[in-house]
Amino acid sequence: MSYRMVFFSACAGMTFFGISLITLGAVLPSLSAKFALDNLGVSTVVTFLPFGVLLGSLVFGPFVDRFGYKFLLILSSLVTASGLVWIGTSESLAAIRIAVFLTGFGGGILNGETNTIVSDISGDDRNSNLSFLAIFFGLGALGIPVLLGALSKHFSFETILPAAGALMALITVAFFFISFPSPKQAQGFPFREGFRLLGKPLLLLLSFVLFFESGMEGLTNNWTTTFLEKSRALSPGKALFALTMMVAGMTATRLLLGFVLKKVKSSIVIYAGLISIALGIVLVWSGVSHIAGVIFLGAGFAPVFPVVLGYIGTLYPDLSGTAFSIALFIALLGNTGLNFLMGVISDISGIQIFPVVLLIAVLMMSVLIVISLKNKSLTNKVK
């Protein structure tokens, strides 16, 4: 087995996940115009994406623990690619919904599986390598809007998306020729031990850290521009630029963390992340500097997923896929739940409540992190 080739495959898969998660939002205005969708029609399309991601995140873990990575990585990559092709070529709304679901389902599997692969092959460099891996999500997420923006003057999305899907499928061919780690439970999946993970307090604590982290990332992605436009009177262009800077801050920090986590204790890094998030919220809330605020938010978000998933991979190496499945499923519930809650609260109190919701979420996450890091099982296994 070539470590570099396996890591390359994981990075490619994570890039595919970034593409799958952002594509729908990037082409939604064009889809709305093509099918004459009102707000209700749009909502019946977009809900299929998170549903697919949730289901994919739930099913990948036991599968990779029992059968290994190769087949599922190839299958999920092709499913995601076919979803993109179908979004671009479908002529009915029902087909679009199925295509969106497939894109999310394949992406959910890719997210979980690629993180698990890197965790399993990385040993003491687990946190650092997971941080490097996360960079490729940003590359994929930024790539589709850039591609559509650059080519939209010459080609429609109906041409660009199938071409992107075909390129993904072509890259997937390389996976056939790469040797991956053997299944950890080749003799048969231990269902009893798998179900027992649901009762592990430390796994649930760490999973709910990701619940709030994913929720905050979702809140900033979905509500920052609205808050800045309505509460801080910024133009749509400036608000969108601020959101882009948040993503850029997260991606740049994860690149830096790939080196920092080799030399600095992960607990110090994650505490620094919490401080950065809190500072970012204060700067955005106070209006002192919304650009600096969103950059601090992105930088603070950056270490949480790589470090926490690194902890989980260290604690449960024999069932890492199943453990990651549980953690990522709970994390995605946080994304969905906190965004729904924000919608309800903003209807009652207005969009100005947005920083308060973020502050409460980071305080909850901080408490869970402190409790988790004081757990003897964790402190005995991580640096």
Side-chain angles (χ1 to χ4, degrees), residues 28 32 37-47:
L28 195 56
S32 298
L37 299 178
D38 56 15
N39 289 338
L40 179 60
V42 169
S43 68
T44 64
V45 172
V46 299
T47 53

Side-chain angles (χ1 to χ4, degrees), residues 17 20-21 46-62 100-112 211 214 324-337:
F17 173 58
S20 73
L21 210 60
V46 299
T47 53
F48 280 83
L49 182 69
F51 179 65
V53 175
L54 273 170
L55 186 60
S57 300
L58 187 62
V59 303
F60 86 88
V100 169
F101 170 79
L102 287 176
T103 304
F105 181 66
I109 293 174
L110 285 168
N111 179 38
F211 175 96
S214 180
F324 275 36
S325 220
I326 293 169
L328 291 172
F329 182 78
I330 291 174
L332 288 165
L333 289 178
N335 192 312
T336 304

Side-chain angles (χ1 to χ4, degrees), residues 293-313:
V294 295
I295 291 174
F296 274 111
L297 280 173
F301 293 153
V304 180
F305 262 92
V307 169
V308 172
L309 290 177
Y311 289 159
I312 292 172

Side-chain angles (χ1 to χ4, degrees), residues 25-269:
V27 303
L28 195 56
S30 299
L31 284 175
S32 298
K34 179 178 179 179
F35 292 100
L37 299 178
D38 56 15
N39 289 338
L40 179 60
V42 169
S43 68
T44 64
V45 172
V46 299
T47 53
F48 280 83
L49 182 69
F51 179 65
V53 175
L54 273 170
L55 186 60
S57 300
L58 187 62
V59 303
F60 86 88
F63 188 98
V64 297
D65 283 340
R66 173 63 180 87
F67 298 105
Y69 298 106
K70 187 170 188 173
F71 173 76
L72 192 62
L73 183 62
I74 293 170
L75 178 63
S76 55
S77 297
L78 293 177
V79 166
T80 305
S82 67
L84 292 182
V85 173
W86 208 355
I87 291 173
T89 58
S90 294
E91 296 298 330
S92 73
L93 199 55
I96 289 290
R97 294 184 181 118
I98 296 172
V100 169
F101 170 79
L102 287 176
T103 304
F105 181 66
I109 293 174
L110 285 168
N111 179 38
E113 183 177 5
T114 55
N115 276 293
T116 309
I117 292 173
V118 172
S119 175
D120 284 351
I121 67 174
S122 295
D124 292 339
D125 291 330
R126 183 175 282 112
N127 293 340
S128 173
N129 288 346
L130 285 169
S131 188
F132 275 128
L133 175 69
I135 296 168
F136 288 86
F137 169 79
L139 294 178
L142 292 172
I144 279 291
V146 170
L147 186 66
L148 288 168
L151 299 179
S152 59
K153 292 182 180 180
H154 306 286
F155 303 99
S156 67
F157 80 94
E158 290 98 335
T159 300
I160 297 171
L161 290 191
L167 179 60
M168 288 169 58
L170 185 63
I171 295 172
T172 301
V173 172
F175 301 162
F176 283 92
F177 304 99
I178 297 172
S179 297
F180 288 84
S182 300
K184 295 184 288 293
Q185 304 293 335
Q187 74 283 0
F189 184 78
F191 287 99
R192 181 177 296 179
E193 288 78 1
F195 280 113
R196 282 178 179 171
L197 287 179
L198 293 171
K200 298 288 185 181
L202 185 52
L203 175 58
L204 295 178
L205 276 172
L206 292 170
S207 298
F208 276 96
V209 169
L210 298 183
F211 175 96
F212 286 104
E213 166 63 19
S214 180
M216 284 192 292
E217 287 188 30
L219 287 173
T220 53
N221 286 332
N222 295 327
W223 294 92
T224 297
T225 53
T226 303
F227 172 78
L228 292 175
E229 289 176 30
K230 293 186 176 180
S231 185
R232 296 293 178 263
L234 291 187
S235 67
K238 289 182 177 180
L240 186 59
F241 176 74
L243 182 60
T244 303
M245 292 304 294
M246 191 274 288
V247 177
M250 183 188 299
T251 304
T253 303
R254 280 178 171 162
L255 177 60
L256 181 63
L257 287 174
F259 302 101
V260 171
L261 284 166
K262 292 179 181 290
K263 298 182 178 181
V264 180
K265 287 184 178 180
S266 56
S267 57
I268 294 175
V269 171

Side-chain angles (χ1 to χ4, degrees), residues 201-202 205 315 370-380:
L202 185 52
L205 276 172
L315 289 166
V370 170
I371 295 171
S372 299
L373 291 177
K374 287 186 176 181
N375 188 289
K376 291 181 180 180
S377 297
L378 184 58
T379 55
N380 289 338

